[in-house]
Amino acid sequence: MLLAGSLAAGGCGALFDQVTATISPEYFLEGKGLTSSGLPFRLAVAWTGFRGGLPLGALVTGVGLLRASRGAGFSWRAWLRRIAAALAAALLVCPVLMAALDPFGMREASLGVWSPGVATRYLVCWGLHIGAYLGVVIGIFRDSSSAEAGRPP
């Protein structure tokens, strides 16, 4: 089951990165260093996303298996739904914050190299990736803390 969860998340990561590569190819070429990859761009992006999704899948599946073994009332469907809700919220908030705040001065640092639009799309893409990891982790811990506090999961 752990392997299946990891592979499923790897597939989701590959698809997610196909979407984000459409938003900002620069994020992958410059930020992830895919300019030096010998693979075609889309295949390199998919491979990067697949590898990035594997540990998230292992984490979600592993924690879920532990929780399922501890309580007869555990529901995979309900638990994954709560993680998906936290993920969706993070995917909405993180890119907006990243683009609005530009915490690392990407727009200024890239002047003369990238247009402001390209820099903004890079920031949005970066925010989406932060949101993907953060949303899953928050979803796991939010649910675990509510269950431990005696609130309904």
Side-chain angles (χ1 to χ4, degrees):
M1 182 139 187
L2 189 61
L3 178 61
S6 296
L7 292 174
C12 289
L15 292 173
F16 180 78
D17 277 5
Q18 291 302 308
V19 172
T20 55
T22 302
I23 295 168
S24 175
E26 295 79 11
Y27 177 81
F28 291 90
L29 293 169
E30 303 295 326
K32 297 276 187 177
L34 294 186
T35 53
S36 61
S37 173
L39 296 172
F41 177 68
R42 289 292 178 167
L43 186 57
V45 167
W47 180 238
T48 299
F50 180 77
R51 289 179 298 149
L54 291 174
L56 273 182
L59 177 66
V60 169
T61 307
V63 171
L65 288 169
L66 287 172
R67 295 205 55 220
S69 71
R70 291 185 183 162
F74 178 77
S75 164
W76 278 98
R77 181 175 291 140
W79 189 60
L80 292 173
R81 193 176 313 126
R82 285 188 294 274
I83 292 172
L87 173 62
L91 288 175
L92 290 172
V93 171
C94 289
V96 170
L97 285 177
M98 192 67 126
L101 300 176
D102 190 5
F104 305 106
M106 287 294 299
R107 286 187 195 91
E108 187 177 324
S110 68
L111 281 178
V113 178
W114 293 341
S115 71
V118 169
T120 298
R121 287 191 303 277
Y122 186 103
L123 289 165
V124 166
C125 190
W126 199 353
L128 285 166
H129 282 86
I130 291 169
Y133 288 101
L134 188 63
V136 170
V137 170
I138 287 172
I140 289 170
F141 287 113
R142 179 192 71 143
D143 185 58
S144 296
S145 64
S146 67
E148 291 168 9
R151 293 186 299 271

PDB file of all heavy atoms in Angstrom, residues 90-116:
ATOM      1  N   ALA A  90      -4.093  25.980   0.336  1.00  0.00           N
ATOM      2  CA  ALA A  90      -2.696  26.401   0.184  1.00  0.00           C
ATOM      3  C   ALA A  90      -2.370  26.730  -1.275  1.00  0.00           C
ATOM      4  O   ALA A  90      -1.606  27.658  -1.547  1.00  0.00           O
ATOM      5  CB  ALA A  90      -1.761  25.314   0.703  1.00  0.00           C
ATOM      6  N   LEU A  91      -2.977  25.989  -2.207  1.00  0.00           N
ATOM      7  CA  LEU A  91      -2.734  26.262  -3.626  1.00  0.00           C
ATOM      8  C   LEU A  91      -3.374  27.577  -4.067  1.00  0.00           C
ATOM      9  O   LEU A  91      -2.965  28.159  -5.072  1.00  0.00           O
ATOM     10  CB  LEU A  91      -3.251  25.115  -4.498  1.00  0.00           C
ATOM     11  CG  LEU A  91      -2.434  23.829  -4.447  1.00  0.00           C
ATOM     12  CD1 LEU A  91      -3.110  22.733  -5.264  1.00  0.00           C
ATOM     13  CD2 LEU A  91      -1.007  24.052  -4.921  1.00  0.00           C
ATOM     14  N   LEU A  92      -4.366  28.037  -3.337  1.00  0.00           N
ATOM     15  CA  LEU A  92      -4.961  29.343  -3.631  1.00  0.00           C
ATOM     16  C   LEU A  92      -4.181  30.476  -2.977  1.00  0.00           C
ATOM     17  O   LEU A  92      -3.959  31.520  -3.584  1.00  0.00           O
ATOM     18  CB  LEU A  92      -6.416  29.379  -3.156  1.00  0.00           C
ATOM     19  CG  LEU A  92      -7.398  28.528  -3.941  1.00  0.00           C
ATOM     20  CD1 LEU A  92      -8.754  28.512  -3.251  1.00  0.00           C
ATOM     21  CD2 LEU A  92      -7.527  29.014  -5.370  1.00  0.00           C
ATOM     22  N   VAL A  93      -3.753  30.274  -1.740  1.00  0.00           N
ATOM     23  CA  VAL A  93      -3.132  31.347  -0.955  1.00  0.00           C
ATOM     24  C   VAL A  93      -1.656  31.544  -1.304  1.00  0.00           C
ATOM     25  O   VAL A  93      -1.204  32.677  -1.507  1.00  0.00           O
ATOM     26  CB  VAL A  93      -3.305  31.067   0.552  1.00  0.00           C
ATOM     27  CG1 VAL A  93      -2.485  32.030   1.398  1.00  0.00           C
ATOM     28  CG2 VAL A  93      -4.775  31.133   0.936  1.00  0.00           C
ATOM     29  N   CYS A  94      -0.891  30.478  -1.356  1.00  0.00           N
ATOM     30  CA  CYS A  94       0.566  30.605  -1.517  1.00  0.00           C
ATOM     31  C   CYS A  94       1.004  31.324  -2.795  1.00  0.00           C
ATOM     32  O   CYS A  94       1.870  32.191  -2.731  1.00  0.00           O
ATOM     33  CB  CYS A  94       1.234  29.242  -1.390  1.00  0.00           C
ATOM     34  SG  CYS A  94       1.197  28.599   0.292  1.00  0.00           S
ATOM     35  N   PRO A  95       0.450  31.011  -3.974  1.00  0.00           N
ATOM     36  CA  PRO A  95       0.902  31.732  -5.161  1.00  0.00           C
ATOM     37  C   PRO A  95       0.539  33.215  -5.131  1.00  0.00           C
ATOM     38  O   PRO A  95       1.305  34.060  -5.594  1.00  0.00           O
ATOM     39  CB  PRO A  95       0.223  31.026  -6.329  1.00  0.00           C
ATOM     40  CG  PRO A  95      -0.716  30.055  -5.761  1.00  0.00           C
ATOM     41  CD  PRO A  95      -0.455  29.929  -4.303  1.00  0.00           C
ATOM     42  N   VAL A  96      -0.626  33.527  -4.559  1.00  0.00           N
ATOM     43  CA  VAL A  96      -1.035  34.932  -4.457  1.00  0.00           C
ATOM     44  C   VAL A  96      -0.073  35.687  -3.542  1.00  0.00           C
ATOM     45  O   VAL A  96       0.397  36.779  -3.885  1.00  0.00           O
ATOM     46  CB  VAL A  96      -2.495  35.040  -3.955  1.00  0.00           C
ATOM     47  CG1 VAL A  96      -2.861  36.468  -3.611  1.00  0.00           C
ATOM     48  CG2 VAL A  96      -3.450  34.466  -4.984  1.00  0.00           C
ATOM     49  N   LEU A  97       0.235  35.088  -2.386  1.00  0.00           N
ATOM     50  CA  LEU A  97       1.178  35.733  -1.460  1.00  0.00           C
ATOM     51  C   LEU A  97       2.570  35.874  -2.070  1.00  0.00           C
ATOM     52  O   LEU A  97       3.206  36.920  -1.940  1.00  0.00           O
ATOM     53  CB  LEU A  97       1.264  34.941  -0.152  1.00  0.00           C
ATOM     54  CG  LEU A  97       0.097  35.079   0.805  1.00  0.00           C
ATOM     55  CD1 LEU A  97       0.289  34.175   2.015  1.00  0.00           C
ATOM     56  CD2 LEU A  97      -0.080  36.525   1.231  1.00  0.00           C
ATOM     57  N   MET A  98       3.019  34.824  -2.729  1.00  0.00           N
ATOM     58  CA  MET A  98       4.361  34.864  -3.324  1.00  0.00           C
ATOM     59  C   MET A  98       4.453  35.956  -4.375  1.00  0.00           C
ATOM     60  O   MET A  98       5.416  36.719  -4.404  1.00  0.00           O
ATOM     61  CB  MET A  98       4.701  33.503  -3.917  1.00  0.00           C
ATOM     62  CG  MET A  98       6.140  33.367  -4.291  1.00  0.00           C
ATOM     63  SD  MET A  98       7.198  33.369  -2.843  1.00  0.00           S
ATOM     64  CE  MET A  98       8.084  31.885  -3.115  1.00  0.00           C
ATOM     65  N   ALA A  99       3.440  36.063  -5.230  1.00  0.00           N
ATOM     66  CA  ALA A  99       3.462  37.084  -6.282  1.00  0.00           C
ATOM     67  C   ALA A  99       3.286  38.483  -5.698  1.00  0.00           C
ATOM     68  O   ALA A  99       3.920  39.433  -6.167  1.00  0.00           O
ATOM     69  CB  ALA A  99       2.375  36.801  -7.312  1.00  0.00           C
ATOM     70  N   ALA A 100       2.444  38.616  -4.679  1.00  0.00           N
ATOM     71  CA  ALA A 100       2.185  39.933  -4.105  1.00  0.00           C
ATOM     72  C   ALA A 100       3.378  40.436  -3.285  1.00  0.00           C
ATOM     73  O   ALA A 100       3.732  41.615  -3.369  1.00  0.00           O
ATOM     74  CB  ALA A 100       0.947  39.886  -3.217  1.00  0.00           C
ATOM     75  N   LEU A 101       3.985  39.554  -2.523  1.00  0.00           N
ATOM     76  CA  LEU A 101       5.070  39.973  -1.626  1.00  0.00           C
ATOM     77  C   LEU A 101       6.449  39.944  -2.277  1.00  0.00           C
ATOM     78  O   LEU A 101       7.335  40.676  -1.847  1.00  0.00           O
ATOM     79  CB  LEU A 101       5.065  39.091  -0.372  1.00  0.00           C
ATOM     80  CG  LEU A 101       3.789  39.130   0.463  1.00  0.00           C
ATOM     81  CD1 LEU A 101       3.893  38.140   1.626  1.00  0.00           C
ATOM     82  CD2 LEU A 101       3.498  40.537   0.961  1.00  0.00           C
ATOM     83  N   ASP A 102       6.632  39.081  -3.273  1.00  0.00           N
ATOM     84  CA  ASP A 102       7.937  38.906  -3.916  1.00  0.00           C
ATOM     85  C   ASP A 102       9.041  38.902  -2.861  1.00  0.00           C
ATOM     86  O   ASP A 102       9.920  39.758  -2.843  1.00  0.00           O
ATOM     87  CB  ASP A 102       8.176  40.018  -4.953  1.00  0.00           C
ATOM     88  CG  ASP A 102       9.400  39.770  -5.818  1.00  0.00           C
ATOM     89  OD1 ASP A 102      10.031  38.705  -5.695  1.00  0.00           O
ATOM     90  OD2 ASP A 102       9.733  40.672  -6.620  1.00  0.00           O
ATOM     91  N   PRO A 103       9.008  37.924  -1.936  1.00  0.00           N
ATOM     92  CA  PRO A 103       9.890  37.960  -0.763  1.00  0.00           C
ATOM     93  C   PRO A 103      11.386  37.916  -1.077  1.00  0.00           C
ATOM     94  O   PRO A 103      12.197  38.316  -0.243  1.00  0.00           O
ATOM     95  CB  PRO A 103       9.461  36.735   0.046  1.00  0.00           C
ATOM     96  CG  PRO A 103       8.829  35.825  -0.946  1.00  0.00           C
ATOM     97  CD  PRO A 103       8.205  36.709  -1.977  1.00  0.00           C
ATOM     98  N   PHE A 104      11.752  37.470  -2.235  1.00  0.00           N
ATOM     99  CA  PHE A 104      13.172  37.367  -2.573  1.00  0.00           C
ATOM    100  C   PHE A 104      13.592  38.367  -3.642  1.00  0.00           C
ATOM    101  O   PHE A 104      14.682  38.266  -4.195  1.00  0.00           O
ATOM    102  CB  PHE A 104      13.508  35.937  -3.002  1.00  0.00           C
ATOM    103  CG  PHE A 104      13.123  34.925  -1.967  1.00  0.00           C
ATOM    104  CD1 PHE A 104      12.029  34.110  -2.149  1.00  0.00           C
ATOM    105  CD2 PHE A 104      13.840  34.820  -0.781  1.00  0.00           C
ATOM    106  CE1 PHE A 104      11.653  33.192  -1.186  1.00  0.00           C
ATOM    107  CE2 PHE A 104      13.471  33.912   0.194  1.00  0.00           C
ATOM    108  CZ  PHE A 104      12.378  33.095  -0.007  1.00  0.00           C
ATOM    109  N   GLY A 105      12.732  39.336  -3.942  1.00  0.00           N
ATOM    110  CA  GLY A 105      13.059  40.377  -4.910  1.00  0.00           C
ATOM    111  C   GLY A 105      13.310  39.854  -6.311  1.00  0.00           C
ATOM    112  O   GLY A 105      14.168  40.369  -7.027  1.00  0.00           O
ATOM    113  N   MET A 106      12.531  38.863  -6.726  1.00  0.00           N
ATOM    114  CA  MET A 106      12.728  38.254  -8.047  1.00  0.00           C
ATOM    115  C   MET A 106      12.525  39.252  -9.186  1.00  0.00           C
ATOM    116  O   MET A 106      13.269  39.232 -10.162  1.00  0.00           O
ATOM    117  CB  MET A 106      11.760  37.087  -8.248  1.00  0.00           C
ATOM    118  CG  MET A 106      12.085  35.846  -7.470  1.00  0.00           C
ATOM    119  SD  MET A 106      13.608  35.065  -7.997  1.00  0.00           S
ATOM    120  CE  MET A 106      13.227  34.694  -9.696  1.00  0.00           C
ATOM    121  N   ARG A 107      11.523  40.100  -9.059  1.00  0.00           N
ATOM    122  CA  ARG A 107      11.248  41.041 -10.153  1.00  0.00           C
ATOM    123  C   ARG A 107      12.422  41.997 -10.346  1.00  0.00           C
ATOM    124  O   ARG A 107      12.829  42.268 -11.465  1.00  0.00           O
ATOM    125  CB  ARG A 107       9.964  41.811  -9.879  1.00  0.00           C
ATOM    126  CG  ARG A 107       8.719  40.979 -10.067  1.00  0.00           C
ATOM    127  CD  ARG A 107       7.458  41.827  -9.945  1.00  0.00           C
ATOM    128  NE  ARG A 107       6.303  41.000  -9.781  1.00  0.00           N
ATOM    129  CZ  ARG A 107       5.815  40.614  -8.603  1.00  0.00           C
ATOM    130  NH1 ARG A 107       6.366  41.018  -7.488  1.00  0.00           N
ATOM    131  NH2 ARG A 107       4.754  39.842  -8.554  1.00  0.00           N
ATOM    132  N   GLU A 108      12.958  42.485  -9.264  1.00  0.00           N
ATOM    133  CA  GLU A 108      14.088  43.421  -9.351  1.00  0.00           C
ATOM    134  C   GLU A 108      15.358  42.705  -9.793  1.00  0.00           C
ATOM    135  O   GLU A 108      16.101  43.204 -10.635  1.00  0.00           O
ATOM    136  CB  GLU A 108      14.315  44.089  -7.993  1.00  0.00           C
ATOM    137  CG  GLU A 108      15.357  45.181  -8.047  1.00  0.00           C
ATOM    138  CD  GLU A 108      15.506  45.876  -6.708  1.00  0.00           C
ATOM    139  OE1 GLU A 108      14.499  46.060  -6.002  1.00  0.00           O
ATOM    140  OE2 GLU A 108      16.654  46.228  -6.365  1.00  0.00           O
ATOM    141  N   ALA A 109      15.595  41.521  -9.243  1.00  0.00           N
ATOM    142  CA  ALA A 109      16.813  40.780  -9.564  1.00  0.00           C
ATOM    143  C   ALA A 109      16.848  40.329 -11.017  1.00  0.00           C
ATOM    144  O   ALA A 109      17.928  40.184 -11.599  1.00  0.00           O
ATOM    145  CB  ALA A 109      16.949  39.572  -8.648  1.00  0.00           C
ATOM    146  N   SER A 110      15.677  40.129 -11.612  1.00  0.00           N
ATOM    147  CA  SER A 110      15.641  39.610 -12.982  1.00  0.00           C
ATOM    148  C   SER A 110      15.487  40.709 -14.032  1.00  0.00           C
ATOM    149  O   SER A 110      15.390  40.410 -15.215  1.00  0.00           O
ATOM    150  CB  SER A 110      14.510  38.597 -13.117  1.00  0.00           C
ATOM    151  OG  SER A 110      13.261  39.235 -13.011  1.00  0.00           O
ATOM    152  N   LEU A 111      15.460  41.971 -13.616  1.00  0.00           N
ATOM    153  CA  LEU A 111      15.321  43.061 -14.589  1.00  0.00           C
ATOM    154  C   LEU A 111      16.440  42.987 -15.620  1.00  0.00           C
ATOM    155  O   LEU A 111      17.598  42.771 -15.294  1.00  0.00           O
ATOM    156  CB  LEU A 111      15.352  44.421 -13.889  1.00  0.00           C
ATOM    157  CG  LEU A 111      14.057  44.853 -13.221  1.00  0.00           C
ATOM    158  CD1 LEU A 111      14.240  46.189 -12.523  1.00  0.00           C
ATOM    159  CD2 LEU A 111      12.910  44.927 -14.208  1.00  0.00           C
ATOM    160  N   GLY A 112      16.075  43.159 -16.843  1.00  0.00           N
ATOM    161  CA  GLY A 112      17.046  43.067 -17.927  1.00  0.00           C
ATOM    162  C   GLY A 112      17.215  41.653 -18.445  1.00  0.00           C
ATOM    163  O   GLY A 112      17.737  41.443 -19.526  1.00  0.00           O
ATOM    164  N   VAL A 113      16.812  40.664 -17.648  1.00  0.00           N
ATOM    165  CA  VAL A 113      16.884  39.269 -18.066  1.00  0.00           C
ATOM    166  C   VAL A 113      15.486  38.769 -18.397  1.00  0.00           C
ATOM    167  O   VAL A 113      15.258  38.174 -19.436  1.00  0.00           O
ATOM    168  CB  VAL A 113      17.522  38.395 -16.962  1.00  0.00           C
ATOM    169  CG1 VAL A 113      17.558  36.930 -17.375  1.00  0.00           C
ATOM    170  CG2 VAL A 113      18.911  38.890 -16.607  1.00  0.00           C
ATOM    171  N   TRP A 114      14.551  39.022 -17.471  1.00  0.00           N
ATOM    172  CA  TRP A 114      13.161  38.630 -17.646  1.00  0.00           C
ATOM    173  C   TRP A 114      12.278  39.860 -17.603  1.00  0.00           C
ATOM    174  O   TRP A 114      12.589  40.836 -16.916  1.00  0.00           O
ATOM    175  CB  TRP A 114      12.692  37.714 -16.529  1.00  0.00           C
ATOM    176  CG  TRP A 114      13.314  36.361 -16.479  1.00  0.00           C
ATOM    177  CD1 TRP A 114      13.976  35.711 -17.472  1.00  0.00           C
ATOM    178  CD2 TRP A 114      13.316  35.479 -15.362  1.00  0.00           C
ATOM    179  NE1 TRP A 114      14.388  34.483 -17.054  1.00  0.00           N
ATOM    180  CE2 TRP A 114      13.997  34.310 -15.753  1.00  0.00           C
ATOM    181  CE3 TRP A 114      12.807  35.555 -14.085  1.00  0.00           C
ATOM    182  CZ2 TRP A 114      14.180  33.227 -14.911  1.00  0.00           C
ATOM    183  CZ3 TRP A 114      12.986  34.480 -13.235  1.00  0.00           C
ATOM    184  CH2 TRP A 114      13.665  33.332 -13.646  1.00  0.00           C
ATOM    185  N   SER A 115      11.153  39.782 -18.270  1.00  0.00           N
ATOM    186  CA  SER A 115      10.154  40.842 -18.150  1.00  0.00           C
ATOM    187  C   SER A 115       9.476  40.698 -16.788  1.00  0.00           C
ATOM    188  O   SER A 115       9.522  39.626 -16.177  1.00  0.00           O
ATOM    189  CB  SER A 115       9.120  40.723 -19.270  1.00  0.00           C
ATOM    190  OG  SER A 115       8.300  39.593 -19.049  1.00  0.00           O
ATOM    191  N   PRO A 116       8.827  41.756 -16.300  1.00  0.00           N
ATOM    192  CA  PRO A 116       8.098  41.626 -15.030  1.00  0.00           C
ATOM    193  C   PRO A 116       7.042  40.515 -15.066  1.00  0.00           C
ATOM    194  O   PRO A 116       6.809  39.843 -14.069  1.00  0.00           O
ATOM    195  CB  PRO A 116       7.447  43.002 -14.840  1.00  0.00           C
ATOM    196  CG  PRO A 116       8.324  43.939 -15.610  1.00  0.00           C
ATOM    197  CD  PRO A 116       8.825  43.142 -16.791  1.00  0.00           C
TER     198      PRO A 116
END
